[in-house]
Amino acid sequence: MSFDGFLASAETDVINAVLTVLRTDPGVTQTLGEPARVFDSETEGGYFPYVCLERHKVTSADTLDRARHEHVFQFESRSKFDGFLEAKNILSALRAAIENADWSLVGPAEQRVVMALVTYADVMRTRRGTSLRGVFRVKVLVEDAHG
């Protein structure tokens, strides 16, 4: 496998790990339904509330002894019915899921999560005013598990 293939696979593993954490967390399923409406692309259904992965950026954070990559995820939440309280509850559930996750159980394969940190969370009204948009950013630092 080429280096590019390895890197692409490693990035996909981290995305899957983060999505698994969010989709399987009891607090998230309580706020977003069972199964949790956490999508990695736009949903065509009008199912509210939901969360969608909006952005994923990867940068190298190598050290002298380990290959490391910093992943920054931005999720968008949409809610419609219970105002700011519902929107804030969604972000709180996402935050708790990330902060309390046992990353060793979900992967990523061949990598070790060194840090998972929520860096930003905010809620705002959409332009039309018919729903609320939450923005939720997570930084995940992973390193090669084998050094």
Side-chain angles (χ1 to χ4, degrees), residues 32-121:
L32 296 176
E34 178 104 28
R37 290 183 295 276
V38 176
F39 306 110
D40 64 349
S41 63
E42 283 296 321
T43 175
E44 294 189 17
Y47 308 110
F48 286 91
Y50 68 88
V51 169
C52 183
L53 176 58
E54 210 173 42
R55 213 171 153 233
H56 174 225
K57 175 182 158 188
V58 182
T59 55
S60 177
D62 290 347
T63 63
L64 291 175
D65 63 336
R66 290 204 185 266
R68 288 187 177 166
H69 289 94
E70 180 181 283
H71 297 256
V72 177
F73 294 89
Q74 180 168 305
F75 291 91
E76 171 191 55
S77 69
R78 288 291 178 121
S79 57
K80 198 170 189 171
F81 304 112
D82 291 326
F84 275 89
L85 183 60
E86 178 184 50
K88 288 291 190 176
N89 283 338
I90 293 167
L91 296 183
S92 291
L94 297 173
R95 176 186 298 277
I98 293 296
E99 290 176 351
N100 299 324
D102 184 349
W103 293 97
S104 66
L105 298 177
V106 295
E110 304 299 318
Q111 298 176 76
R112 183 171 69 88
V113 173
V114 176
M115 177 191 72
L117 175 69
V118 176
T119 60
Y120 180 82

Side-chain angles (χ1 to χ4, degrees), residues 11-21 23 40 106:
E11 287 183 19
T12 303
D13 288 347
V14 176
I15 293 170
N16 285 332
V18 170
L19 290 173
T20 297
V21 162
R23 289 174 175 160
D40 64 349
V106 295

